[in-house]
Amino acid sequence: IPLGDKGKVEDAICLVRPLAARSLLDAGAADEAAVRGLLRKKHPVLERALAQREKRGEKRGEKRGRQEMLRRSIEDFCGFLGISLEDGRRQVLDNLDLQGLEALRERLIRERKWDR
């Protein structure tokens, strides 16, 4: 049966939604159609993978938020102590990871100065 580029295959028993005829010949379109069908079905494996990805994204976002709050608190503390963020300190501060920021904060609290 000729379907043409815009034709669709419909089968309520086998398919969740109509399948574009072009997806039978185009690997990318076939993949997209398969994924769309699995999303629509809420396939458990795909749902778990999406949930895990979302959780990882949330953790990364939380970590970035903690880093930003720690940077701001260090900036505030430096301002309170009269420590300038010039002379490369700003760049150091911007490049530190969470552990480095925590160590810097602890050192600033303990020593009340920022030596290089």
Side-chain angles (χ1 to χ4, degrees):
I1 302 172
L3 296 172
D5 288 346
K6 304 231 187 266
K8 294 181 180 178
V9 177
E10 297 184 49
D11 183 343
I13 296 171
C14 296
L15 302 172
V16 176
R17 55 185 283 223
L19 181 65
R22 73 178 177 85
S23 68
L24 297 172
L25 303 173
D26 179 340
D31 288 348
E32 185 177 321
V35 171
R36 287 183 187 278
L38 293 171
L39 285 169
R40 186 176 221 122
K41 280 185 176 180
K42 295 188 183 284
H43 193 281
V45 172
L46 188 56
E47 291 293 308
R48 279 192 303 273
L50 290 172
Q52 288 170 350
R53 186 175 209 169
E54 183 176 346
K55 190 170 200 135
R56 284 192 309 267
E58 287 172 357
K59 285 182 180 181
R60 281 193 305 269
E62 289 169 3
K63 183 178 178 182
R64 284 187 197 130
R66 284 194 307 270
Q67 284 177 297
E68 184 57 33
M69 290 305 295
L70 198 47
R71 272 190 194 94
R72 288 181 184 177
S73 69
I74 290 170
E75 289 170 355
D76 292 344
F77 195 61
C78 284
F80 174 76
L81 294 175
I83 298 172
S84 171
L85 292 178
E86 301 300 319
D87 300 324
R89 287 187 181 120
R90 165 71 60 201
Q91 186 176 2
V92 169
L93 187 60
D94 289 342
N95 290 322
L96 288 174
D97 63 5
L98 188 57
Q99 288 178 320
L101 289 166
E102 288 171 345
L104 175 59
R105 181 182 59 100
E106 289 173 19
R107 196 172 77 237
L108 286 169
I109 291 170
R110 186 177 57 251
E111 298 175 8
R112 300 204 178 273
K113 61 184 179 178
W114 184 339
D115 290 330
R116 281 171 235 227

